[in-house]
Amino acid sequence: MSSEQQSIPVNETVAAAIKRTHPAAWLWLSLVVIVLDQATKFLVTRFLALYERVEVLPVLDFTLLHNTGAAFSMLAGASGWQRWFFIGLACVVSVVLVVWIWRTPRGEKLLPLALSLILGGAIGNVIDRIWHGYVVDFIHAHWGEAYFPAFNIADSAITIGAALLILDAFREKGTGDGGQGTVERRRGARDRRQAPREGSP
């Protein structure tokens, strides 16, 4: 038996296993994000004083900051009500994400991957709000004197997840014809291969 003949059953087995896999299996990624997020925040809080700056790269610093607001410190100057608002919002969003992941069709990969990253990031930050009353930020990118708002591992996971979610939406839009466009292209290519060449008998 040739190697090509041996690879066919293996490929079919892998494809069948992917189709049987429930999207909720991706929730392990949310757990990884939460653990990494909380571990890095613990280390930064332990070894850096508030506002202390440690240069990592010419364009990247570690700076311990406490963010009582949302992304980009939105509502950070509010009187304190924003803490419970963001906790409640994050809890609602987390429940919605879990239900969304659970109801995603089997075999999907990109969508549950994106949702799991967002879920892990949301839970990572809400743990901070419940425990400290603020979110621990420490990754501070900059170019010269222009500084990007500080963020953390949870924020990074949310950003990557949102980008993948947009990518998945564009992918679904591109295949909105139910795959007919792909089928027609393949059929046309097959017809061209089977068409007799000029001058052939």
Side-chain angles (χ1 to χ4, degrees), residues 42-103:
F42 171 79
L43 291 174
V44 169
T45 303
R46 184 177 181 86
F47 292 105
L48 289 182
L50 188 62
Y51 306 123
E52 183 180 354
R53 174 176 172 268
V54 175
E55 182 176 344
V56 180
L57 296 171
V59 294
L60 181 66
D61 300 336
F62 282 169
T63 306
L64 177 59
L65 298 172
H66 296 166
N67 180 13
T68 56
F72 308 112
S73 298
M74 184 178 65
L75 295 179
S79 59
W81 61 266
Q82 75 274 24
R83 173 186 180 184
W84 304 108
F85 171 76
F86 288 131
I87 289 174
L89 181 63
C91 290
V92 171
V93 169
S94 298
V95 171
V96 171
L97 290 173
V98 170
V99 173
W100 193 354
I101 293 171
W102 198 268
R103 292 185 176 181

Side-chain angles (χ1 to χ4, degrees), residues 139-172:
I139 304 173
H140 216 176
H142 62 92
W143 183 260
E145 295 300 320
Y147 278 78
F148 186 80
F151 57 98
N152 52 45
I153 299 297
D155 296 331
S156 301
I158 292 173
T159 302
I160 296 172
L164 293 177
L165 201 59
I166 295 172
L167 178 62
D168 181 73
F170 277 109
R171 187 191 65 171
E172 291 296 326

Side-chain angles (χ1 to χ4, degrees), residues 8-22 106-108:
I8 292 175
V10 173
N11 293 337
E12 291 177 350
T13 301
V14 172
I18 292 175
K19 289 182 178 180
R20 289 196 303 269
T21 302
H22 196 284
R106 292 177 182 269
E108 287 285 339

Side-chain angles (χ1 to χ4, degrees), residues 165-189:
L165 201 59
I166 295 172
L167 178 62
D168 181 73
F170 277 109
R171 187 191 65 171
E172 291 296 326
K173 184 177 180 180
T175 58
D177 57 358
Q180 291 298 318
T182 303
V183 172
E184 292 297 331
R185 287 193 296 272
R186 291 177 178 175
R187 184 179 297 167

